[in-house]
Amino acid sequence: MVSGTFVEVAAPARNREAGTAGTAPASRESGWSRIRRLAPPYLYLVPAVVLLVVWTYQPLAQTFVLSTYSWNLVPSTPMVDVGLGNYERLLGTPELGRAVWRTVVVILGMLPFTVVIPVAVALLTRRVRGRAQGVYRALVFAPMLVAPVAGAAVWQWLLDPSAGAVNRVLGTDVNWLNTASTAQWSIIVITGWHVVGFAVLVVTAGLAGINPDYAAAAQVDGASRSQVTRWVTLPLLSPTLAFLALMTVLLSAQWTFPLIDTLTQGGPVSSTTNLYYLLWEYGFRSHDAGLAAAAGVLFFLGFIVVAALLTRLAARLSHHDD
Amino acid sequence: MAVTTGRKARWALIDVVVVVYALFPVLWIASLSFKTKETLADGNFIPREWTLQNYADIFATNEFIRPLINSLGIATIATLIAVVLGMMAAYAIARLDFPGKKALIGVSLLIAMFPQISLVTPLFNIESALGLFDTWPGLILPYITFALPLAIYTLSAFFREIPWELEKAAKMDGATPGQAFWRVIAPLAAPGVFTTAILVFIFCWNDFVFAISLTSTEASRTVPAALSFFTGTSQFEDPTGTISAAAVVITVPIVLFVLFFQRRIVAGLTSGAVKG
């Protein structure tokens, strides 16, 4: 499908000048052939962009509209225009602040699993060569392949207060998922279990992209192995680390969703209700479409701000290889 | 260069802990799936009595078979379309230059940052209005859309690394454009395409948010959504054994797939997809 027809990059600027003169009858290029020449790049992109516009940007616009209405998601009931009422209601609930705080806790709690552990593991396995390395990576990657819902089922058993393996190994009898103080951490550890392998793979890929000459040069200059790691490898790895941190911030709450829904349903006493789950509850439990949309809008705007700040920060911190 | 044995041991310990943490639950699911109902809660890692009853149970019920067919069909179709569309877009991004390119890339990739959940309610409305709610296309379309940024991002990184002059060289040597593409470029692009396909497939196969909000019956419910109903009220008195068996059944194909292509995937990832 990607044949070599458009190998040469057309020079649009120069040709466009030729095109503006195209009103003259002696024009060498008709409008049609100009379209045929300039259109191909867009034709390649059109299917993807159309899908994105119809299935994400349009719903996004609808979220904004819906956030000013009161509606229970039933097509036959009328939508009532409430202006900014939903936002007032939302900001007035103490739930929101708590959910935001819990989301922050989840993100901070996930960072060791998505950044610290993967870096440690990848640095170590880098020295293991050949088959063993591949096997090790495959083993660590395995949980990513288990559907989160299926993972939740087994963790429910591992964390079982009476027969669970975790309590027996630790010699405790904690009811991990049904105690307000431990439920959140259990969710974090299970989510971490699910994504740690992927993060290891990303760090490994990042390490492989680093030119080994730098480390070699530093060693020639007498740097010890840990000095090389600290002052050469890690700074060069910073774009990868920034990428992982950004992913963690943006996706942690999303990763926890299937686990929370199957294991705790946001409880006990909403100790695991983060923003993501709160939004879902508004929409599909309370059937309060307006409130859910308002929360969605705030969530979305908040994330744009956070993402922009992080990318800016990452760009400043990154040490580029080239 | 002096690395003391103590340090080495500490590193090895970290590694072992991580492997146990990653693998133990996976093996535990497998173990549970072979246990009888009586020994389910005995806490033994190796089942004392082996049974295939759990597997027989899930394959005897439409509650599992139907969702399995849905999952396979929906994830496969969505992956194929997403990868093809992603290849087209990535090709244009990596190889062609045209006005408005930056803006179009932005439009295509920005969406990856949207929290899916904030779009679920409007998607539900749109799909209800169009009659797509609880149908295969009703899941396939959002899956393609949400996988596209990932596909475009990884594929354009790969495509940028391909030495495209080889194509011209092949043509100069007398190859037809088709030959030049299939014999020269396609093998070079394959690792990237496989990597992308696998990542997209995993995303579709394991998705839960859309699967529970955009389906309501077995007409389109996928396995992750169906599993969450196993835990609630269902015909099984104690669903853990059957859930574990179902988990094993849906995990094995994807593990085999990844193991089979593992070298290509890692080669693919390291050849530029995630380079900062």
Side-chain angles (χ1 to χ4, degrees), chain B residues 40-253:
Chain B
L40 207 55
D42 66 359
N44 262 21
F45 181 62
I46 312 279
R48 255 180 286 172
E49 279 175 74
W50 292 76
T51 176
L52 289 174
Q53 192 55 44
N54 294 318
Y55 290 91
D57 281 351
I58 53 168
F59 280 108
T61 164
N62 247 353
E63 258 180 85
F64 181 71
I65 294 179
R66 232 355 257 194
L68 187 63
I69 296 170
N70 291 337
S71 266
L72 277 173
I74 290 171
T76 311
I77 296 173
T79 305
L80 283 176
I81 300 179
V83 169
V84 169
L85 296 185
M87 274 166 75
M88 289 166 59
Y91 177 79
I93 289 171
R95 297 230 49 217
L96 309 173
D97 221 349
F98 48 92
K101 180 169 158 179
K102 273 228 166 94
L104 281 172
I105 297 177
V107 167
S108 320
L109 296 186
L110 197 72
I111 205 78
M113 293 182 181
F114 290 10
Q116 286 170 13
I117 196 88
S118 62
L119 298 182
V120 165
T121 320
L123 276 177
F124 173 83
N125 292 336
I126 295 171
E127 298 211 339
S128 307
L130 295 175
L132 285 174
F133 177 72
D134 199 25
T135 63
W136 276 29
L139 278 183
I140 290 173
L141 286 165
Y143 283 170
I144 296 173
T145 316
F146 278 87
L148 266 177
L150 173 76
I152 295 175
Y153 178 75
T154 20
L155 283 168
S156 53
F158 282 116
F159 284 1
R160 243 178 251 128
E161 305 265 313
I162 292 178
W164 294 90
E165 316 82 61
L166 287 180
E167 192 186 35
K168 217 190 274 175
K171 274 195 270 186
M172 276 169 132
D173 289 345
T176 65
Q179 280 174 326
F181 177 71
W182 286 112
R183 302 211 123 135
V184 179
I185 296 302
L188 288 171
V193 175
F194 277 117
T195 309
T196 311
I198 286 168
L199 292 176
V200 170
F201 190 82
I202 294 176
F203 163 74
C204 302
W205 186 255
N206 287 348
D207 166 75
F208 184 67
V209 181
F210 291 130
I212 55 162
S213 2
L214 300 178
T215 67
S216 61
T217 67
E218 270 157 27
S220 68
R221 190 177 281 154
T222 58
V223 176
L227 278 184
S228 81
F229 286 98
F230 273 24
T231 44
T233 48
S234 84
Q235 63 182 95
F236 311 108
E237 64 254 26
D238 183 5
T240 306
T242 34
I243 288 180
S244 310
V248 172
V249 171
I250 63 166
T251 309
V252 164

Side-chain angles (χ1 to χ4, degrees), chain A residues 2 42 57 124 136 157 168 189 193, chain B residues 15 21-22 43 91 99 107 240:
Chain A
V2 190
Y42 301 101
Y57 286 93
L124 182 74
Y136 186 86
W157 273 96
R168 278 195 298 158
V189 170
W193 166 75
Chain B
D15 261 10
Y21 170 56
Y91 177 79
V107 167
T240 306

Side-chain angles (χ1 to χ4, degrees), chain A residues 10-19 37-38, chain B residues 99:
Chain A
R14 195 188 53 215
N15 287 320
R16 202 178 300 141
E17 279 161 35
R37 184 172 48 74
L38 289 177

Side-chain angles (χ1 to χ4, degrees), chain A:
Chain A
M1 39 154 292
V2 190
S3 74
T5 325
F6 309 109
V7 172
E8 243 69 333
V9 173
R14 195 188 53 215
N15 287 320
R16 202 178 300 141
E17 279 161 35
T20 46
T23 41
S27 161
R28 273 165 298 161
E29 191 181 37
S30 72
W32 176 239
S33 77
R34 202 180 132 219
I35 289 171
R36 278 185 38 178
R37 184 172 48 74
L38 289 177
Y42 301 101
L43 291 182
Y44 281 112
L45 279 163
V46 157
V49 170
V50 166
L51 267 177
L52 286 167
V53 167
V54 173
W55 290 98
T56 52
Y57 286 93
Q58 189 211 345
L60 186 71
Q62 274 207 14
T63 307
F64 277 86
V65 175
L66 210 56
S67 72
T68 61
Y69 285 90
S70 173
W71 187 44
N72 64 1
L73 281 166
V74 178
S76 52
T77 53
M79 294 167 68
V80 183
D81 190 343
V82 292
L84 292 176
N86 288 323
Y87 291 94
E88 276 166 33
R89 207 148 53 94
L90 186 65
L91 295 173
T93 57
E95 286 165 23
L96 183 74
R98 287 191 214 122
V100 170
W101 171 241
R102 287 188 201 109
T103 314
V104 173
V105 170
V106 166
I107 291 169
L108 294 178
M110 284 301 295
L111 282 171
F113 295 100
T114 52
V115 180
V116 182
I117 295 176
V119 168
V121 169
L123 281 176
L124 182 74
T125 49
R126 190 173 49 145
R127 287 169 203 158
V128 183
R129 292 270 158 239
R131 253 195 123 63
Q133 194 186 29
V135 170
Y136 186 86
R137 270 196 225 130
L139 294 181
V140 177
F141 191 65
M144 186 79 196
L145 307 177
V146 179
V149 186
V154 71
W155 276 96
Q156 198 154 29
W157 273 96
L158 293 173
L159 295 174
D160 190 81
S162 54
V166 172
N167 271 339
R168 278 195 298 158
V169 170
L170 298 177
T172 50
D173 58 345
V174 181
N175 194 344
W176 300 97
L177 291 166
N178 291 312
T179 311
S181 55
T182 54
Q184 177 80 287
W185 295 105
S186 309
I187 294 289
I188 289 172
V189 170
I190 302 172
T191 315
W193 166 75
H194 194 240
V195 298
V196 73
F198 178 72
V200 168
L201 213 60
V202 171
V203 177
T204 311
L207 281 177
I210 294 176
N211 189 338
D213 293 352
Y214 297 110
Q219 267 179 355
V220 169
D221 290 346
S224 73
R225 202 165 229 181
S226 58
Q227 280 174 324
V228 171
T229 304
R230 169 65 189 85
W231 298 107
V232 179
T233 312
L234 284 181
L236 286 173
L237 199 59
S238 57
T240 307
L241 301 185
F243 170 77
L244 283 174
L246 183 68
M247 268 193 31
T248 310
V249 172
L250 295 179
L251 298 175
S252 283
Q254 188 159 318
W255 291 330
T256 59
F257 178 79
L259 299 167
I260 292 173
D261 194 56
T262 32
L263 291 175
T264 67
Q265 289 85 43
V269 282
S270 28
S271 61
T272 54
T273 305
N274 57 36
L275 260 183
Y276 211 85
Y277 199 75
L278 187 72
L279 245 158
W280 195 79
E281 278 194 329
Y282 283 159
F284 288 85
R285 283 265 165 77
S286 340
H287 298 284
D288 194 335
L291 197 61
V297 168
L298 289 187
F299 196 22
F300 171 67
L301 294 179
F303 264 45
I304 292 218
V305 171
V306 172
L309 285 177
L310 275 178
T311 19
R312 176 99 27 112
L313 191 70
R316 192 174 305 167
L317 290 180
S318 289
H319 302 249
H320 284 287
D321 196 341
D322 15 61

Side-chain angles (χ1 to χ4, degrees), chain B residues 22-39:
Chain B
L23 216 57
F24 187 67
V26 179
L27 296 174
W28 196 270
I29 301 183
S31 153
L32 282 175
S33 74
F34 291 113
K35 285 183 175 179
T36 58
K37 290 209 169 22
E38 295 73 44
T39 57

